[in-house]
Amino acid sequence: MTCSCLDRRDLGLLLLRAGTGGVLAAHGAQKLFGWFGGGGLEGTGAFMESVGYAPGKLNALVAGACEAGGGALLALGLATPAAGAAAAGAMAGATAVHTPNGFFSQGGGYEYPAFLGLVSAALAVTGPGRYSADHALGHALNRGWMVPAALAGTAVGVLATLGARNKKVREAGDVRDDASPEM
């Protein structure tokens, strides 16, 4: 005899997806639209440029779209491999900015973006569960092959972006070193 009652694993995935996706969507809306006290594309773009992500406005748009779009899709449980990978990629970029401050967030560290990225990647791998748009659509956008494809594509994009940022940060450090008086 089977029970059509709620499955606690699927309910747990729903709660995890909705919570994580909602946080990411709100965070992306700060970047894209200036909602919730965010800087919008102009302010976020200027910040992105200041931490080595150039061009700043384009990087703000991409990060905001990955966070807002990936977060909204995660919350819905739609296109879960791509949504989780996109959100994880955006959080990898944020983690890089916070890494010099150590691990814990109270000191400006990478704890929070790393955790959001890890949960997003885990959801991409695990899948959305039964209480999701993917399940309702027969998992048309949540096939097994999509998980490694989405994560690999995101990894390539993240590595290229971080490589360009790291080069820019090193060059900026060299310029500052050249401008400092000799001791």
Side-chain angles (χ1 to χ4, degrees):
M1 181 158 116
T2 60
C3 176
S4 64
C5 55
L6 293 176
D7 178 275
R8 71 182 201 190
R9 288 183 194 100
D10 290 319
L11 185 58
L13 284 170
L14 170 63
L15 293 171
L16 189 60
R17 280 192 353 262
T20 304
V23 167
L24 286 163
H27 199 65
Q30 288 182 305
K31 287 178 176 63
L32 294 173
F33 311 117
W35 296 352
F36 314 116
L41 285 177
E42 291 299 324
T44 304
F47 171 75
M48 296 288 251
E49 193 87 33
S50 77
V51 294
Y53 289 110
K57 196 169 180 179
L58 175 62
N59 277 278
L61 176 65
V62 172
C66 287
E67 291 171 7
L73 290 172
L74 276 177
L76 293 169
L78 180 61
T80 304
M91 290 300 100
T95 298
V97 171
H98 293 277
T99 295
N101 300 322
F103 179 71
F104 292 104
S105 60
Q106 74 258 23
Y110 63 91
E111 170 187 21
Y112 185 60
F115 181 74
L116 287 174
L118 178 64
V119 171
S120 297
L123 287 167
V125 171
T126 303
R130 273 192 314 176
Y131 311 129
S132 66
D134 275 337
H135 181 77
L137 297 172
H139 294 279
L141 300 173
N142 181 37
R143 304 279 187 219
W145 64 266
M146 293 175 180
V147 174
L151 291 172
T154 296
V156 168
V158 166
L159 290 173
T161 302
L162 290 180
R165 176 194 178 257
N166 290 343
K167 181 180 178 189
K168 197 151 221 37
V169 168
R170 276 192 309 276
E171 289 170 354
D174 290 344
V175 168
R176 278 194 292 275
D177 290 344
D178 291 344
S180 63
E182 293 194 31
M183 300 286 227

